[in-house]
Amino acid sequence: MNPVIYRPDHNLSEINSLAELKDLTVRCARCALRDGCSRVVFGEGNPNARLMLIGEGPGADEDRLGRPFVGRAGQLLDKILEAISLERFAHTYIANVVKCRPPGNRAPRPEEAQACLPWLYRQIELVSPGIIVLLGNSALRNLVDPDASITPMRGQWLVSKSGIKIMPTFHPSALLRDSGKKRPVWEDFQKVRDEFLKLAES
């Protein structure tokens, strides 16, 4: 029996848990990315996390394992979190703009991102973080402004309509290509740590 293809064209507010949302997401066929990937990479972490990290999309390692940020960039992200005394499974929830790997690790096309964003929006609502870190241009452009650029906007706090504090910064993969970006990212995550501690005390 073929699985039911779920197309989230209606209001997802009726979905009340991440587990239920994941079950529906893995059956999504709103764009062609699902046809070319091995696994849907839904997201993982603490479902009640105060801090949510959002990247671009799964890479080869993520596609193979069905988990976000498990390759070299993910290992670097773990080290960054450790450096500010946070642990990804205890303190964060991690997701991506798209949940299926784009061919050749290219950036998601606008229509692919738009097809997948309803899932991410509902994830954000269910996790209800106080802070979101946007990792790289794709996350910034799809969640804040399609004309934005990460370099001039990184390190600046933004605030969503619902009051979530948003910190754009470079994607960990950019640090692997350019070590000069490590210092700015470290400064950005220190700001995130300070804000996280304020939330923990409130």
Side-chain angles (χ1 to χ4, degrees), residues 29-41:
R30 283 178 60 92
C31 77
L33 289 182
R34 184 66 185 94
D35 296 333
C37 75
S38 299
R39 305 275 297 273
V40 173
V41 182

Side-chain angles (χ1 to χ4, degrees), residues 69-159:
F69 283 92
V70 293
R72 291 180 64 216
Q75 292 165 18
L76 178 55
L77 180 61
D78 287 349
K79 291 179 180 178
I80 293 170
L81 291 171
E82 289 170 8
I84 59 170
S85 300
L86 297 181
E87 196 275 315
R88 69 183 282 174
F89 289 101
H91 301 114
T92 76
Y93 190 90
I94 302 179
N96 283 303
V97 170
V98 296
K99 305 192 181 308
C100 297
R101 182 191 181 196
N105 288 357
R106 63 165 170 77
R109 293 173 179 152
E111 65 272 19
E112 294 164 346
Q114 288 304 311
C116 208
L117 281 173
W119 302 117
L120 178 60
Y121 292 148
R122 189 59 182 149
Q123 274 181 298
I124 293 170
E125 290 169 351
L126 290 169
V127 175
S128 190
I131 305 167
I132 291 176
V133 176
L134 300 178
L135 300 167
N137 264 323
S138 283
L140 176 64
R141 289 172 178 168
N142 284 291
L143 289 164
V144 175
D145 181 347
D147 297 318
S149 178
I150 194 68
T151 299
M153 291 192 69
R154 59 135 290 268
Q156 301 179 41
W157 283 113
L158 309 171
V159 182

Side-chain angles (χ1 to χ4, degrees), residues 42 66 173:
F42 178 73
S173 62

